[in-house]
Amino acid sequence: MTDIVRMTATQLVEEMAQGNLTSAEITRAHLDRIAEVDQDIHAYLHVDREGALATAAEADAARNTGADLPPLAGVPVAVKDVMTMRGVPTTAGSRILEGWLPPYDATVVASLRRNLMPILGKTNMDEFAMGSSTEYSAYGPTRNPWDTSRIPGGSGGGSAAALAAFEAPLAIGTDTGGSIRQPAAVTGTVGVKPTYGAVSRYGLIALASSLDQAGPCARSVRDAAMLHQAIAGHDPRDSTSLAAPVPDLVAAVREGDVRGMRIGLVTELGGEGYQPGVEQRFREAVDLLADRGAEIVEVSCPNFRYALGAYYLILPSEASSNLAKFDGMRYGLRVDDSDAGVEQVMAQTRAAGFGDEVKRRIMLGTYALSAGYYDAYYGQAQKVRTLVQRDFAAAFADCHVLISPTCPTTAFPLGEKVDDPLAMYLNDIATIPVNLAGNAALSLPVGLAPEDGLPVGLQIMAPHHEDARLYGVAAVLEGALEDTWGQPLIEKVGG
Ligand code: GLN
């Protein structure tokens, strides 16, 4: 039998159904793996051994009664540390939340519990999900399992690295500007940003509320579909939650077919600034889609070139408002070494509790929202957002899905961009338009770049509510690629 930790969630489900493995065995195997490798990877900020084993026991007991179980019952999962979990440390990668124990579960966490999925722990991330490398975590960076001198992407680098290092079969991420898709791309895993509102934001520590979206991270397209299905659905506690029924995403994987489909290559998401090996693997994947019967067309989305600029006004504006609640009074850290009064305590706490990138964005956002500058910056950015939405609408009038490289380069070395915010921001050039428009997108691995042997991701974008389409196309491409490789790409990690 394959090593337990190398199995996909789909395989684990099968092994449990056949009575070959219990959830307790599977969960223990992952906890052992974490103990063995996480000092080198640092995917986890907190491991909840007891909690995970308790849920595993519950899942095994339920199975023994012969009850009808949820599809992923007993399969362990890791959760990005931006989701609240009752009584379990939740820091969002920040010092300011150190020591805080949330009194409630995020809706996503509650869904995982309802599905009897053992939660292995909380994964590392850039502070408050600001970043593309996980180097802005207050608790030290995560390393890329393909090459531990490289970044695992961000902000959800912990979730992606946990998958690539076989420290979890499934993980939860959040994507505000690319934080699920970019880490997936640079770690050779699959990551999905669902349509805005498809997965509840209740209990997700907010970065930018109009952009934030939780979603699944996995090692295969089918696994991602199963996890997506488990966490999606209407939540009355989130005012922007979609009321529409969740489509059958696993069926979309099974029935995936690109024959007769029009697939649009976005002119603006490629070319200058994209690593040659990324473009090469992308082009080869496009050829495979054409071989399988898709019609490939070029589409132009001219306003995408302004998307990054608009995002870096809208996001800091919303973040400056969302982060105002971290004041040393309500949660976590309080620096209180003076008798100077409440304002002094707030200022000291924020000075000590927030990292440089968070301070930078709070200042940017406060400035963009201030009277006198609001129209010139925030107002203008919102107009650009509308133009990006119109570009998508026009492109989707002509194409079923759009595709691009997920990010311009493979994983870069740790330390390379950490002191250069603008270089860091440019990693999300291809992922941000989708967050501004609110539609759905998926990243899947399409090979290793010839120049550095590191994974390359391809992004598929679909219209709002058409998440199923992503899975159909991704499943066809994944199958075609694995036929050429003879095995899933992830099997090449570390060797
Ligand atoms: N890297 C982007 C940023 O720093 C995306 C963040 C995210 O998706 N959470 O804003």
Side-chain angles (χ1 to χ4, degrees), residues 80 128-132 154-155 174-180 207 311-312 315 361 424-425 428 432 435:
K80 187 177 179 182
F128 288 109
M130 298 178 187
S132 304
S155 63
T174 59
D175 192 312
T176 303
S179 287
I180 290 177
L207 170 54
Y311 171 89
Y312 276 102
L315 177 137
R361 294 201 195 187
M424 193 69 91
Y425 299 168
D428 303 309
I432 277 174
N435 299 83

Short mmCIF file of all heavy atoms in Angstrom, two decimals, residues 80 128-132 154-155 174-180 207 311-312 315 361 424-425 428 432 435, ligand 1:
data_model
loop_
_atom_site.label_atom_id
_atom_site.label_comp_id
_atom_site.label_asym_id
_atom_site.label_seq_id
_atom_site.Cartn_x
_atom_site.Cartn_y
_atom_site.Cartn_z
N LYS A 80 -5.78 27.44 7.58
CA LYS A 80 -4.99 28.67 7.63
C LYS A 80 -5.32 29.43 8.92
O LYS A 80 -6.49 29.52 9.29
CB LYS A 80 -5.32 29.51 6.39
CG LYS A 80 -4.44 30.75 6.20
CD LYS A 80 -4.83 31.45 4.90
CE LYS A 80 -4.02 32.71 4.66
NZ LYS A 80 -4.45 33.40 3.42
N PHE A 128 -1.81 38.95 8.77
CA PHE A 128 -3.13 39.40 8.28
C PHE A 128 -3.31 39.16 6.78
O PHE A 128 -4.02 39.92 6.11
CB PHE A 128 -3.43 40.85 8.67
CG PHE A 128 -3.70 41.00 10.15
CD1 PHE A 128 -2.78 41.63 10.97
CD2 PHE A 128 -4.84 40.47 10.72
CE1 PHE A 128 -3.00 41.75 12.34
CE2 PHE A 128 -5.07 40.56 12.09
CZ PHE A 128 -4.16 41.21 12.91
N ALA A 129 -2.65 38.14 6.28
CA ALA A 129 -2.80 37.72 4.87
C ALA A 129 -2.26 38.75 3.88
O ALA A 129 -2.67 38.79 2.73
CB ALA A 129 -4.25 37.35 4.54
N MET A 130 -1.33 39.59 4.35
CA MET A 130 -0.72 40.59 3.47
C MET A 130 0.65 40.08 3.02
O MET A 130 1.60 40.13 3.80
CB MET A 130 -0.52 41.91 4.22
CG MET A 130 -1.81 42.54 4.68
SD MET A 130 -1.42 44.03 5.61
CE MET A 130 -3.04 44.46 6.22
N GLY A 131 0.73 39.60 1.78
CA GLY A 131 2.03 39.17 1.29
C GLY A 131 1.92 38.03 0.30
O GLY A 131 0.84 37.48 0.09
N SER A 132 3.04 37.70 -0.31
CA SER A 132 3.07 36.67 -1.35
C SER A 132 4.17 35.65 -1.09
O SER A 132 4.59 34.94 -2.00
CB SER A 132 3.31 37.31 -2.72
OG SER A 132 2.33 38.29 -2.96
N GLY A 154 2.43 33.07 -0.86
CA GLY A 154 1.72 33.66 0.27
C GLY A 154 0.46 34.35 -0.20
O GLY A 154 0.23 34.45 -1.40
N SER A 155 -0.39 34.72 0.70
CA SER A 155 -0.16 34.61 2.12
C SER A 155 -0.34 33.20 2.68
O SER A 155 0.12 32.90 3.78
CB SER A 155 -1.10 35.56 2.86
OG SER A 155 -2.46 35.19 2.63
N THR A 174 -7.29 31.23 2.16
CA THR A 174 -8.15 32.38 1.82
C THR A 174 -7.43 33.18 0.74
O THR A 174 -6.21 33.25 0.72
CB THR A 174 -8.44 33.30 3.03
OG1 THR A 174 -7.21 33.80 3.56
CG2 THR A 174 -9.20 32.55 4.11
N ASP A 175 -8.23 33.75 -0.14
CA ASP A 175 -7.70 34.40 -1.32
C ASP A 175 -8.34 35.78 -1.47
O ASP A 175 -9.52 35.89 -1.79
CB ASP A 175 -8.01 33.49 -2.53
CG ASP A 175 -7.27 33.88 -3.79
OD1 ASP A 175 -7.28 35.07 -4.13
OD2 ASP A 175 -6.70 32.98 -4.45
N THR A 176 -7.53 36.81 -1.21
CA THR A 176 -7.99 38.19 -1.30
C THR A 176 -7.44 38.84 -2.57
O THR A 176 -8.04 39.73 -3.15
CB THR A 176 -7.51 38.95 -0.04
OG1 THR A 176 -8.00 38.27 1.11
CG2 THR A 176 -8.01 40.39 -0.02
N GLY A 177 -6.24 38.34 -2.95
CA GLY A 177 -5.60 38.85 -4.17
C GLY A 177 -4.82 37.75 -4.85
O GLY A 177 -4.07 37.99 -5.79
N GLY A 178 -4.93 36.52 -4.31
CA GLY A 178 -4.19 35.40 -4.92
C GLY A 178 -3.63 34.43 -3.91
O GLY A 178 -2.92 33.48 -4.28
N SER A 179 -3.93 34.62 -2.64
CA SER A 179 -3.26 33.86 -1.57
C SER A 179 -3.58 32.38 -1.49
O SER A 179 -2.95 31.65 -0.73
CB SER A 179 -3.56 34.50 -0.23
OG SER A 179 -2.83 35.69 -0.13
N ILE A 180 -4.53 31.90 -2.28
CA ILE A 180 -4.70 30.45 -2.45
C ILE A 180 -3.98 30.02 -3.73
O ILE A 180 -3.24 29.04 -3.75
CB ILE A 180 -6.19 30.05 -2.53
CG1 ILE A 180 -6.86 30.23 -1.16
CG2 ILE A 180 -6.34 28.62 -3.04
CD1 ILE A 180 -8.35 29.93 -1.16
N LEU A 207 -9.35 40.81 6.04
CA LEU A 207 -8.33 41.68 5.47
C LEU A 207 -9.07 42.77 4.68
O LEU A 207 -9.13 43.90 5.12
CB LEU A 207 -7.37 40.86 4.59
CG LEU A 207 -6.39 41.64 3.71
CD1 LEU A 207 -5.56 42.63 4.51
CD2 LEU A 207 -5.47 40.68 2.97
N TYR A 311 -6.20 47.59 -6.86
CA TYR A 311 -6.23 46.67 -5.70
C TYR A 311 -5.44 47.24 -4.54
O TYR A 311 -5.87 47.18 -3.39
CB TYR A 311 -5.65 45.33 -6.15
CG TYR A 311 -5.40 44.31 -5.05
CD1 TYR A 311 -6.40 43.42 -4.66
CD2 TYR A 311 -4.16 44.22 -4.42
CE1 TYR A 311 -6.17 42.47 -3.67
CE2 TYR A 311 -3.92 43.27 -3.44
CZ TYR A 311 -4.93 42.41 -3.07
OH TYR A 311 -4.69 41.47 -2.09
N TYR A 312 -4.27 47.82 -4.83
CA TYR A 312 -3.43 48.34 -3.74
C TYR A 312 -3.91 49.70 -3.22
O TYR A 312 -3.23 50.34 -2.42
CB TYR A 312 -1.95 48.30 -4.11
CG TYR A 312 -1.42 46.90 -3.81
CD1 TYR A 312 -1.22 45.97 -4.82
CD2 TYR A 312 -1.23 46.48 -2.49
CE1 TYR A 312 -0.79 44.67 -4.54
CE2 TYR A 312 -0.81 45.18 -2.20
CZ TYR A 312 -0.60 44.28 -3.22
OH TYR A 312 -0.20 43.01 -2.92
N LEU A 315 -7.63 47.50 -1.27
CA LEU A 315 -7.27 46.60 -0.17
C LEU A 315 -6.77 47.38 1.06
O LEU A 315 -7.29 47.17 2.15
CB LEU A 315 -6.25 45.55 -0.61
CG LEU A 315 -5.82 44.65 0.57
CD1 LEU A 315 -5.76 43.20 0.18
CD2 LEU A 315 -4.52 45.09 1.22
N ARG A 361 0.39 49.31 5.04
CA ARG A 361 -0.94 49.29 4.39
C ARG A 361 -1.96 50.08 5.18
O ARG A 361 -2.87 50.69 4.60
CB ARG A 361 -1.40 47.84 4.19
CG ARG A 361 -0.50 47.13 3.20
CD ARG A 361 -1.17 45.93 2.59
NE ARG A 361 -0.19 45.08 1.94
CZ ARG A 361 -0.49 44.02 1.22
NH1 ARG A 361 -1.75 43.68 1.06
NH2 ARG A 361 0.45 43.30 0.65
N MET A 424 7.23 42.56 -4.43
CA MET A 424 6.37 41.55 -3.81
C MET A 424 4.95 41.66 -4.39
O MET A 424 4.33 40.65 -4.73
CB MET A 424 6.34 41.77 -2.29
CG MET A 424 5.74 40.64 -1.51
SD MET A 424 6.74 39.13 -1.53
CE MET A 424 7.77 39.35 -0.10
N TYR A 425 4.44 42.88 -4.54
CA TYR A 425 3.07 43.06 -5.04
C TYR A 425 2.91 42.50 -6.46
O TYR A 425 1.84 42.02 -6.83
CB TYR A 425 2.68 44.55 -5.05
CG TYR A 425 2.68 45.23 -3.68
CD1 TYR A 425 2.59 46.62 -3.57
CD2 TYR A 425 2.75 44.49 -2.50
CE1 TYR A 425 2.60 47.26 -2.34
CE2 TYR A 425 2.76 45.12 -1.26
CZ TYR A 425 2.69 46.51 -1.18
OH TYR A 425 2.69 47.13 0.04
N ASP A 428 1.22 39.10 -7.82
CA ASP A 428 -0.23 38.87 -7.93
C ASP A 428 -0.85 39.51 -9.15
O ASP A 428 -2.06 39.63 -9.24
CB ASP A 428 -0.91 39.39 -6.66
CG ASP A 428 -0.33 38.74 -5.43
OD1 ASP A 428 -0.27 37.51 -5.40
OD2 ASP A 428 0.08 39.47 -4.51
N ILE A 432 -5.07 39.01 -9.24
CA ILE A 432 -5.88 40.09 -8.67
C ILE A 432 -7.15 40.46 -9.46
O ILE A 432 -8.19 40.73 -8.84
CB ILE A 432 -4.97 41.32 -8.41
CG1 ILE A 432 -4.28 41.12 -7.05
CG2 ILE A 432 -5.73 42.63 -8.47
CD1 ILE A 432 -3.24 42.16 -6.72
N ASN A 435 -10.21 38.76 -8.09
CA ASN A 435 -10.72 39.23 -6.79
C ASN A 435 -11.50 40.53 -6.96
O ASN A 435 -12.52 40.73 -6.31
CB ASN A 435 -9.56 39.43 -5.81
CG ASN A 435 -8.82 38.14 -5.55
OD1 ASN A 435 -7.95 37.77 -6.32
ND2 ASN A 435 -9.18 37.43 -4.49
N1 GLN B 1 -0.38 38.97 -2.01
C1 GLN B 1 -1.61 39.70 -2.00
C2 GLN B 1 -1.52 40.79 -0.95
O1 GLN B 1 -0.51 40.92 -0.36
C3 GLN B 1 -2.74 38.77 -1.77
C4 GLN B 1 -3.12 38.59 -0.37
C5 GLN B 1 -4.25 37.62 -0.17
O2 GLN B 1 -4.81 37.08 -1.11
N2 GLN B 1 -4.61 37.44 1.07
O3 GLN B 1 -2.43 41.52 -0.75
#
